[in-house]
Amino acid sequence: MIVALISVGCSGRPDRPPVKEDGPSENYGDVIASDAATDLDPSLQSAVGWAQRFTYASRSGINDSTTHVTGILLAPKGSPPQGGWRIVAFGHAATGTQPGCGPSTSPLLDSPAVLQQLLQAGYPVVMSDYQALGSLDKIQDRPGRDIYHPYLDSTTVGYNLIDSVRAARQLIERAVTPASTSFLALGIGQGGQAAWAANELMANQGQNLTLLGSVAISPAADITGLADLAEAGTLNPQQQLALQAFLAGVKNSYFDDFNLDDYRGGIVAQQWDALLACDAAGAAERATIAGQITPDDLRPHSPAAAATLRGFLKKSSLPQGPAQAPMLVIYGDNDPLVPAAWTDAALDRACKMGDVITIRRLPGDAPDQLDMPEALDWMNQRVNSVPAPNDCVGRPS
């Protein structure tokens, strides 16, 4: 995957100032702290043998600095198969952009039905909160260190997913249980982006691990079209909130090199922080404010600003390079955030790179019609070394 920033048109995307690494060196995936998770919702407890919340070392896709990220590991009941547990790295859908927005501290977690089915199929599941979405007391590793979530930065969440597997293996082996170096990835929405990105990043971040395959459900793959819709004033409500979160992430990542006021106005500018709230107390206010957003409130203020935004979105979009393992991509005709045509375009480019992809385009919005038996069967086939169906063959070029 291409990590370095490149110029697009007349606009440049400056590197974020590097972070000085002034503490003891940490390896990606090192467990910094862990605690037993005993407060899970009953719907999950029935399938969980034991669980650990933990903080681990990972890598920023913005400036390659070492970060501390939180997550949770759910181990299934029963004994591991021959060769050790094969972990599933689960990428959760978007939950916010602020510290405390990560789902690992919720007893119900994210997508509990999906997690339950993975556990019942015998897979340990590790779920990363992604960079800076955990509790501040868990992720603030050194005083004065920047804590920010680069929303929809595919490289960052891809790194976070891979490194969560390393951390999970450490925790499993601490329990005197073998863990395989082979794993699978599955994600929804932003997590689908993470599962896809992790597949591409295995070439330079996956040392000593083997990805058997990744399942990307409604992935936020090609998101460059958000700039065109913002310029035209045709963003739908979900896209408005996603773009605002993306702009917040870019501002936090690049400081003064990105002028936020070139992209916001009206109630978005006035209620910026309230629109980023992810806690239950702020949900009703956020919904009320979101209903008042007008097209001009998120319209780039000049063609140059639109070009700069397009560059940042392109830097986060997929594919950035060839995948290292087969993929199953499931998406819907009416996805409210990423239109099917955008995902089709991403798949076309990935196929031209030689990727092996099983493609399932469903009527409606894919997450609501997710066929987990098909996804589990596809994953089980990868575990059993069955060649993956490749729908790239014969796809129009």
Side-chain angles (χ1 to χ4, degrees):
M1 173 176 276
I2 300 170
V3 177
L5 296 176
I6 58 175
S7 295
V8 177
C10 297
S11 64
R13 290 170 290 166
D15 289 310
R16 195 177 201 269
V19 172
K20 182 179 179 182
E21 299 290 354
D22 55 0
S25 61
E26 296 163 345
N27 295 316
Y28 299 132
D30 279 357
V31 175
I32 310 302
S34 65
D35 296 291
T38 58
D39 60 344
L40 299 178
D41 187 91
S43 66
L44 285 170
Q45 284 182 352
S46 62
V48 173
W50 56 273
Q52 290 271 311
R53 291 190 177 93
F54 61 96
T55 304
Y56 67 103
S58 190
R59 177 180 180 183
S60 166
I62 302 298
N63 61 10
D64 285 334
S65 64
T66 300
T67 58
H68 283 183
V69 183
T70 54
I72 189 167
L73 169 66
L74 307 173
K77 294 182 177 179
S79 302
Q82 185 174 4
W85 292 118
R86 287 186 176 87
I87 297 164
V88 173
F90 178 72
H92 66 79
T95 55
T97 63
Q98 306 296 306
C101 290
S104 73
T105 56
S106 167
L108 194 59
L109 303 181
D110 183 80
S111 304
V114 173
L115 298 179
Q116 185 179 54
Q117 291 178 72
L118 290 169
L119 290 161
Q120 289 172 342
Y123 292 108
V125 181
V126 62
M127 181 176 68
S128 171
D129 283 329
Y130 310 142
Q131 178 179 311
L133 296 186
S135 300
L136 271 174
D137 63 328
K138 300 293 185 183
I139 58 180
Q140 184 70 59
D141 54 331
R142 288 187 281 280
R145 194 170 180 83
D146 297 321
I147 300 297
Y148 65 97
H149 176 62
Y151 177 66
L152 291 186
D153 181 70
S154 57
T155 305
T156 297
V157 292
Y159 285 154
N160 294 166
L161 223 66
I162 294 170
D163 296 332
S164 74
V165 174
R166 290 194 171 90
R169 292 189 70 251
Q170 288 185 22
L171 293 170
I172 290 172
E173 291 178 349
R174 286 181 187 178
V176 198
T177 304
S180 173
T181 57
S182 299
F183 74 101
L184 296 141
L186 182 150
I188 301 171
Q190 184 181 17
Q193 179 197 52
W196 186 328
N199 201 325
E200 296 182 4
L201 288 163
M202 284 297 292
N204 64 13
Q205 188 74 5
Q207 291 84 356
N208 303 318
L209 293 175
T210 300
L211 177 62
L212 300 177
S214 57
V215 179
I217 302 159
S218 289
D222 188 336
I223 56 174
T224 54
L226 288 174
D228 298 325
L229 296 182
E231 198 170 23
T234 55
L235 294 164
N236 67 34
Q238 184 164 333
Q239 291 167 337
Q240 288 174 335
L241 292 176
L243 179 58
Q244 190 238 356
F246 182 82
L247 291 169
V250 173
K251 180 61 176 178
N252 289 335
S253 300
Y254 296 96
F255 302 127
D256 295 334
D257 293 314
F258 184 73
N259 184 5
L260 195 57
D261 289 328
D262 282 345
Y263 305 92
R264 64 179 183 176
I267 198 166
V268 171
Q270 297 163 14
Q271 300 290 339
W272 185 259
D273 291 340
L275 283 169
L276 293 173
C278 64
D279 60 302
E285 181 185 10
R286 182 173 189 255
T288 298
I289 296 168
Q292 301 173 49
I293 296 174
T294 71
D296 285 338
D297 294 344
L298 282 165
R299 197 192 306 270
H301 293 179
S302 68
T308 297
L309 175 59
R310 198 169 288 109
F312 279 109
L313 289 164
K314 184 176 181 180
K315 184 254 179 187
S316 292
S317 288
L318 299 169
Q320 296 280 333
Q324 304 301 303
M327 289 196 293
L328 168 62
V329 177
I330 303 173
Y331 60 113
D333 284 333
N334 301 316
D335 189 300
L337 176 59
V338 182
W342 298 3
T343 304
D344 284 336
L347 289 167
D348 288 342
R349 294 195 300 275
C351 286
K352 289 175 183 176
M353 292 180 180
D355 291 358
V356 175
I357 311 175
T358 306
I359 300 170
R360 293 290 180 267
R361 178 169 169 170
L362 305 178
D365 185 9
D368 295 332
Q369 300 186 35
L370 172 60
D371 187 350
M372 271 304 288
E374 180 183 9
L376 284 169
D377 181 61
W378 188 92
M379 295 165 68
N380 291 336
Q381 288 182 33
R382 306 294 77 75
V383 169
N384 293 314
S385 302
V386 177
N390 188 7
D391 293 323
C392 285
V393 176
R395 191 173 177 87
S397 60

